[in-house]
Amino acid sequence: MKCSFTLNGRAVEAEIDGLTPLLRLVRDHAGTGTKLGCGEGRCGACTVLVEGEPVASCLYPAANVEGRQVRSIESIAAPDAPLSPVQDALLDGGAVQCGACIPGVVMTLTALLEKGNRPSEERVRTELVGNICRCTGYHKIVESALAVTTASEEPA
């Protein structure tokens, strides 16, 4: 089947099998840095945003993105641009260790924070349930996410 969608602001068309995982389409066909982790939808390393909602791209059928907006980690900050507030906060907070989980964590937190309201610590933890981080524990990641909302509320 033919699949047409927008990836990081650009049109993509591909001929796919209807059961092809979105991960294969965005990584192999479109060349994003979306990572394969567990391949079972449990670790969150492959998280992308479909219409602003985080999905495990290793399980999400590529056919479901027909006509939709998809964002991968590359949509967060261009290589020659400053990092996003989420990326800066994770680095500043010591929440980045090996890097295996970080793209998925960034995508999950970006989706949460783009909804525009200040999430509680409990809400941040709930949103991160699908992202496994073995290096930092979650304390630094949660603190970093909360720091982004606090910083955005401070007067310039």
Side-chain angles (χ1 to χ4, degrees), residues 3 9 13 16-17 37 46 50 81 87 108 111 127 140:
C3 183
E13 285 190 9
I16 60 165
D17 172 44
C46 68
V50 176
Q87 291 169 314
T108 299
E127 292 295 318
K140 290 181 179 183

Side-chain angles (χ1 to χ4, degrees), residues 10-117:
R10 68 178 178 88
V12 174
E13 285 190 9
E15 192 68 35
I16 60 165
D17 172 44
L19 296 177
T20 300
L22 180 57
L23 174 67
R24 290 285 130 232
L25 186 56
V26 299
R27 184 173 174 83
D28 298 344
H29 177 76
T32 71
T34 305
K35 295 182 179 191
L36 172 63
C38 67
E40 298 176 353
R42 295 180 182 188
C43 73
C46 68
T47 301
V48 298
L49 305 183
V50 176
E51 297 290 330
E53 294 299 321
V55 301
S57 66
C58 69
L59 295 181
Y60 197 84
N64 287 359
V65 299
E66 176 65 35
R68 300 177 87 188
Q69 300 280 334
V70 178
R71 290 172 60 196
S72 70
I73 190 67
E74 288 79 12
S75 73
I76 304 301
D80 56 349
L83 295 176
S84 75
V86 169
Q87 291 169 314
D88 273 336
L90 289 167
L91 284 172
D92 292 346
V96 177
Q97 300 276 319
C98 77
C101 70
I102 290 302
V105 167
V106 168
M107 298 309 291
T108 299
L109 293 177
T110 296
L112 173 63
L113 298 174
E114 284 181 349
K115 292 183 175 141
N117 52 356

